[in-house]
Structure formats: C-alpha cells, structure tokens
Amino acid sequence: MTTVFPNASTANQNSQTTDGATNRSAGISTAPIPIIVRTELPKRIQAAYTTRFVDEAIRRDPEEFHLLSGPGLHPRSGDVVVARVTNVGNHKRIETPTSRKAILFEGALVMVAYGNRYAADQFLAYVPDSLATTSLVAAGGLAGEVVAAHTRVSEPTEIEPLGLLANHSGVVNLNDFAPFENLPVTESRERRERPEVIGVLGTSMNSGKSTVMANLINGLAKSGRTVTAGKITGTGAGNDPMIYHDAGAAKVLDFTDFGYPTTFQLDMQEILALTINLVEHLTEPDTDVVVVEIADGIFQDETAKLLRDPIFHNTIDQVLFAATDALGARAGVHELCDVGLKVAAASGVLTSSPLATREANDVLAKFETPVLGTFDLSLPEVAESLLLRK
C-alpha cells in the first residue's frame, strides 16, 4: 500500500491554488509543495549490525513501521534507511546484527544507517542531503556519499534508498532504540571512585589497536581481575566488541549502544559525554579495570581534540600505544607525552618484527616507555605489571 501526501510543515506555510502553483499575489513562492510518499515495509530485509536494536523492534511489531520517501526528506546521521543493492563493489558483505558477514547480491534489500565515515585506508564519506542513490561505506551498515577514497580500494557498493524507516513518531533514528542515552556531562568521576581506566590508541587504522586491547584484556582476566571493555570512537562494526568478549571482558559496550552509527563529525561535547557515560556504564560493582579503544590515528580531528581535553585526562589513567614501526612509535609517544598523558607501553604491529622492536626500544628509552609484544600482553604477569593500582 502506498500513500502520497504533502510535507505537512511545508503545506502549512504555503497556500496552494487549484493548478498546483502557490498564490503569486500573496507574495508566496511558486515552488511546488514537496511530496512525501508512505509505503509498507518490505517483508524481506537484511538488517545491518548498526541497526540491530531497530531490527529487534521491527521483529516485535512490524506493523508499527513503514517507509517514507520523497524530495522533501533530508537524512541525518543515524537515520535508518532501507535500500536496494544496485551494484556490488568494495563491500561484498554486510555485517548482520549477530556480526555474521552476509554475502551481498544485487537486488537485495538492506537496512542501514546514514553516517559520516573517516577511514584513511578506505573512504571519506558524508551524509547526503537527499535520498538519491548513494554508497555502502562500511560493512557494519553505514550509508554515505563518498568524496575521497584510497587508491587501492575499488568503487564502493552502490545502494538505492527505497525510503527512510518511520513509525508513528516520524523518521526512525538509531538513538530512538539505543539501550543507553548519551546524557550531557560536564565532569568525570573522581579517580578514587572508579576502577582504573586504560586507553588504547594508535598511529592509524591497522596499527594493531584492537589486537593489543584484546590481549591486554585477556592477560588481565587471566590474572583474576574483572575487566570491562569499550570503544569510544570509530565506525559501527561488531568485530571488535566480539573480540573483546572472546578475550574475557565481563561487559562490552561501544558508541553504537548509545545510538551512534559513527563518531566522525560528532560535536566534541557529545564525544566527551560519550567517553564518560561509556566508562560509567562499564563500571560494575566488581570491575577492577576498564579498557577503552579510541579509533583511527592520534591526528584524526576528533581524537586530536579529545586527547587535549581535561575531562578526557581525568577519565583515562594511562594509555597503551600501537604503532606499525619505530618512527611511528616515537612520534606517537612523544605527542601523547607532550599533551600530558601517561604512556604505559608501546606495542602493535611493529612488534611482529624483532628488528623494528629493537629500534623502537632504542628510540623510546628517553621516554621510559617499554615496548611489549602484542601477544605477550596476554600473559598475566605482563598485563598486571602495567597497572597503576596493583
């Protein structure tokens, strides 16, 4: 069933004549009234990981939802869209709500969220201003307009929006069904009132951050400590949270649990609030250590600002830094020390090479920062040696 009706907000502002034009004598624009089309929700849709909480709501009561389309609609970050795959490109799979990698076929219908993407080794993309054909820019379920891409990456997978998901309240945004709310905050808890918090950062994507974090979690869990884990910034995907669960984290959360498909282009106050709220929700009565990951490199805009904020400094006790080589390790550790953060150790991809590890040890000696093998962090004695609160 399809229903066509004028955009209510526009219709209230314009008096329309019988020929469809607005009244010129009244000094009102003759532009046509935008039309919004309402259609039923298709029966078979593949939901993505970013839309998992919305998918649960649809499964409970599918009759509550429908699609809205038309030139009068302008998506926002987090708005949920149902789209048809028209050309399979770089992303040949989509991550399901259970984090399974489902194969994409042309013609398939997917449910994803609009969002901005910052990925130095893939795409730079932004939320488009219409429901025109756009791209799948992240396998976790992110739709956006690509403005730049790595030269080694193939053309993005193309999707054709059928409409924005809506219910009786209007267009559905991820934060409408997120289990946690990112409440505004102005300051973090006193250090003595919370567990020790360790941040994991890196030089860039693929520097080994998630692997470093997983091994640290595993080592601390083996030492008998209760560890919780989270991801403060990045692009929505289930792989990292699943790894943290596998490593032994008692509880895992990330920004998608607060209704964000991505944190790129978020207001800094929202990111600071997210940092504090995520740590708060990861702090259970028996939690000994909270480990959190900050995505991308330390020069990415949001990360660079975050590292210099006093609220972040009062929330994170110390950091581990992942790098791909000795030069990156030295530059990164120097930058982190320069902004006043305590660096517990360097690790990451560089420790795959004995020579790179030796170089890094030499250049980091002046900072009194040890270089630890990524998989050595899973040894209880190594992991617990890094703690400030033994």
Side-chain angles (χ1 to χ4, degrees), residues 10 62 108 142 165 198 323:
T10 306
L142 200 66
L165 185 71
I198 301 174

Side-chain angles (χ1 to χ4, degrees), residues 45-55 75-83 94-95 110-117 125-128 131 134-145 159 161 163-165 171-175 235-236 255-256 259-262:
I45 304 171
Q46 177 58 70
Y49 180 80
T50 56
T51 64
R52 64 194 185 279
F53 301 119
V54 176
D55 183 53
R76 304 168 301 151
S77 181
D79 283 352
V80 178
V81 61
V82 173
I94 191 168
E95 191 175 3
V110 296
M111 184 169 70
V112 298
Y114 280 105
N116 304 302
R117 176 106 206 255
Y126 296 97
V127 176
L131 297 186
T134 191
S135 301
L136 179 67
V137 295
L142 200 66
E145 183 178 351
I159 58 175
L164 294 175
L165 185 71
V171 173
V172 171
N173 194 279
L174 293 184
N175 58 32
T235 301
F255 51 88
T256 64
Y260 297 105
T262 171

Side-chain angles (χ1 to χ4, degrees), residues 259-274:
Y260 297 105
T262 171
T263 56
F264 177 47
Q265 296 284 283
L266 270 189
D267 179 83
M268 185 48 54
Q269 290 306 309
E270 284 188 90
I271 294 179
L272 287 169
L274 184 59

Side-chain angles (χ1 to χ4, degrees), residues 43-353:
K43 297 299 183 184
R44 182 181 173 88
I45 304 171
Q46 177 58 70
Y49 180 80
T50 56
T51 64
R52 64 194 185 279
F53 301 119
V54 176
D55 183 53
E56 289 176 3
I58 293 174
R59 290 177 184 277
R60 287 194 299 268
D61 194 354
E63 299 303 318
E64 283 292 308
F65 297 88
H66 54 272
L67 298 181
L68 295 179
S69 60
L73 293 174
H74 306 284
R76 304 168 301 151
S77 181
D79 283 352
V80 178
V81 61
V82 173
R84 179 182 291 108
V85 177
T86 53
N87 185 53
V88 178
N90 182 67
H91 287 103
K92 296 174 174 54
R93 295 171 181 263
I94 191 168
E95 191 175 3
T96 71
T98 59
S99 204
R100 182 178 71 85
K101 304 300 191 297
I103 297 173
L104 286 174
F105 291 90
E106 289 186 10
L109 300 184
V110 296
M111 184 169 70
V112 298
Y114 280 105
N116 304 302
R117 176 106 206 255
Y118 180 101
D121 63 354
Q122 284 198 15
F123 302 119
L124 174 63
Y126 296 97
V127 176
D129 60 4
S130 73
L131 297 186
T133 297
T134 191
S135 301
L136 179 67
V137 295
L142 200 66
E145 183 178 351
V146 174
V147 298
H150 195 288
T151 57
R152 291 198 298 268
V153 174
S154 58
E155 290 295 313
T157 291
E158 186 180 87
I159 58 175
E160 177 187 28
L162 302 186
L164 294 175
L165 185 71
N167 60 12
H168 66 279
S169 298
V171 173
V172 171
N173 194 279
L174 293 184
N175 58 32
D176 296 332
F177 292 92
F180 300 102
E181 184 178 357
N182 190 26
L183 298 171
V185 293
T186 56
E187 59 184 16
S188 57
R189 285 172 62 178
E190 291 294 328
R191 292 179 188 271
R192 66 178 180 274
E193 297 176 355
R194 59 163 172 75
E196 181 169 338
V197 181
I198 301 174
V200 178
L201 299 100
T203 51
S204 62
M205 292 181 68
N206 302 318
S207 57
K209 297 185 296 297
S210 298
T211 309
V212 164
M213 185 159 159
N215 278 278
L216 176 63
I217 292 167
N218 188 242
L220 291 172
K222 287 177 180 175
S223 74
R225 291 171 171 81
T226 299
V227 188
T228 59
K231 192 167 184 178
I232 297 172
T233 63
T235 301
N239 185 62
D240 289 348
M242 297 299 175
I243 293 173
Y244 306 153
H245 272 297
D246 295 343
K251 183 177 183 179
V252 178
L253 296 173
D254 71 4
F255 51 88
T256 64
D257 293 292
F258 291 82
Y260 297 105
T262 171
T263 56
F264 177 47
Q265 296 284 283
L266 270 189
D267 179 83
M268 185 48 54
Q269 290 306 309
E270 284 188 90
I271 294 179
L272 287 169
L274 184 59
T275 300
I276 296 170
N277 287 321
L278 188 141
V279 169
E280 286 288 318
H281 284 291
L282 288 173
T283 301
E284 305 284 353
D286 60 345
T287 302
D288 297 306
V289 186
V290 177
V291 188
V292 293
E293 180 182 345
I294 293 90
D296 303 309
I298 60 175
F299 292 126
Q300 193 267 354
D301 287 348
E302 285 82 14
T303 303
K305 293 174 183 176
L306 191 62
L307 298 182
R308 288 160 175 77
D309 194 280
I311 292 178
F312 180 80
H313 282 235
N314 198 44
T315 305
I316 307 296
D317 294 294
Q318 58 175 335
V319 300
L320 259 68
F321 187 69
T324 56
D325 55 29
L327 179 60
R330 188 192 185 284
V333 170
H334 181 274
E335 182 74 12
L336 293 171
C337 291
D338 197 47
V339 299
L341 289 166
K342 175 176 174 51
V343 185
S347 189
V349 172
L350 76 87
T351 64
S352 300
S353 164

